[in-house]
Amino acid sequence: MLTVKDLQKVYNGTVVVNIPELTIQAGEAIGLVGNNGAGKTTLFRLILDLIRPTKGEVYAKDVNVAKSEDWKAYTGSHLDEGFLIDYLTAEEYFKFIGDLHGLSDGDITERLLPFMDLFNDEILNQRKYIRDFSKGNQKKIGIAAAALSNPELLILDEPFANLDPSSQIRLKNLLRHLRDQKRMTMLISSHDLSHVIEVCERILILEKGQLVQDMQTNENTLRELETYFTV
Ligand SMILES: Nc1ncnc2c1ncn2[C@@H]1O[C@H](COP(=O)(O)OP(=O)(O)OP(=O)(O)O)[C@@H](O)[C@H]1O
């Protein structure tokens, strides 16, 4: 589903991403963890062709993301509030994204149904622009918009950040639902080790731009990660 080849990003002489090879199979849910500045967001931006690599390539289903737009039809993502259109209401934004993917109003309503718990009656029918929602609720709008097209590949940067505890648990259940029922391939970064291992079957640790661990999640993973991050 996703292949990274000899990927490097250098800023001001510093290598911030350096990944010789990474392959993610269709249907895998991958958790990306690493301390502040490890390069997680930069890697996502390279994968989504938001920035150009210093060296190397990213292929989404064999499409070089820097050379074609085709991958955008089957990729959904939310990295930050910059992905939102802040002068629209949530409904107008979902309609905008739905139109890009040829969805009817009925399709949009149906695709948003699994999000109702997470929305907690605070997103739809609020008569409020996206810019006036709280950070947590903006994140919920962005995640729903990313998943709206039922993408084969879903990329989320720190989806649990800014969410209250109830919302974090609802989001965890929702991501599991998307993984199991919609067979989405997922790439999710998080600083919450316990949430990410509950959603993801494979965990990658990024340190100073390099993938230093690649592990399948099992009953020991949380302890191993806590040990790794205990300095
Ligand atoms: N546009 C830029 N110009 C210069 N340096 C940059 C730029 N973007 C990112 N960096 C640097 O690249 C490194 C990786 O940053 P990145 O935001 O990818 O890390 P991260 O793992 O997402 O961190 P966090 O967990 O804090 O969000 C950092 O040292 C950062 O300062």
Side-chain angles (χ1 to χ4, degrees):
M1 170 58 70
L2 191 75
T3 311
V4 165
K5 286 188 185 158
D6 198 18
L7 190 68
Q8 270 197 17
K9 183 68 184 174
V10 177
Y11 281 123
N12 309 322
T14 303
V15 181
V16 299
V17 168
N18 182 13
I19 301 179
E21 202 182 345
L22 171 65
T23 303
I24 295 173
Q25 305 294 345
E28 274 190 311
I30 310 284
L32 182 66
V33 299
N35 285 333
N36 295 134
K40 303 178 296 297
T41 304
T42 305
L43 174 59
F44 285 174
R45 294 178 78 79
L46 289 164
I47 290 172
L48 295 168
D49 194 40
L50 294 168
I51 50 172
R52 287 292 156 99
T54 309
K55 198 170 99 172
E57 295 103 39
V58 175
Y59 295 87
K61 277 177 78 176
D62 297 327
V63 173
N64 183 331
V65 299
K67 296 207 169 137
S68 163
E69 305 291 318
D70 293 354
W71 58 276
K72 293 183 180 172
Y74 49 81
T75 304
S77 59
H78 183 70
L79 300 195
D80 55 45
E81 63 273 14
F83 277 48
L84 303 172
I85 302 176
D86 65 4
Y87 57 80
L88 298 182
T89 64
E91 287 88 343
E92 287 168 342
Y93 184 59
F94 293 139
K95 172 93 176 110
F96 174 81
I97 299 290
D99 284 348
L100 289 179
H101 294 278
L103 301 181
S104 68
D105 289 355
D107 293 335
I108 295 172
T109 304
E110 190 194 319
R111 303 261 177 110
L112 289 177
L113 280 179
F115 286 83
M116 287 308 137
D117 249 10
L118 181 67
F119 284 178
N120 198 33
D121 290 331
E122 291 173 1
I123 305 294
L124 301 178
N125 307 311
Q126 299 301 299
R127 293 204 241 152
K128 185 154 86 169
Y129 295 118
I130 288 176
R131 61 172 177 251
D132 297 323
F133 281 89
S134 69
K135 286 270 177 248
N137 282 336
Q138 286 181 355
K139 178 145 280 184
K140 294 177 190 178
I141 294 169
I143 294 169
L148 198 58
S149 64
N150 273 344
E152 290 175 60
L153 175 63
L154 181 68
I155 298 178
L156 301 174
D157 197 9
E158 297 192 31
F160 298 103
N162 294 119
L163 297 190
D164 58 58
S166 307
S167 297
Q168 291 183 27
I169 292 163
R170 288 171 179 171
L171 177 61
K172 206 162 54 181
N173 293 333
L174 175 69
L175 292 173
R176 285 206 198 115
H177 164 83
L178 297 176
R179 181 195 67 188
D180 296 339
Q181 305 300 317
K182 312 275 181 184
R183 306 296 307 143
M184 284 184 197
T185 306
M186 293 186 180
L187 184 51
I188 296 170
S189 74
S190 182
H191 290 301
D192 191 307
L193 301 175
S194 74
H195 287 342
V196 81
I197 64 168
E198 283 186 60
V199 174
C200 300
E201 68 210 282
R202 183 176 162 200
I203 303 290
L204 305 174
I205 303 183
L206 199 62
E207 188 179 308
K208 297 195 176 108
Q210 313 225 32
L211 286 178
V212 293
Q213 297 248 15
D214 182 345
M215 52 173 90
Q216 295 296 317
T217 308
N218 61 36
E219 67 278 6
N220 299 319
T221 307
L222 182 58
R223 204 159 9 106
E224 285 170 19
L225 290 175
E226 284 175 349
T227 304
Y228 180 89
F229 285 107
T230 303
V231 284

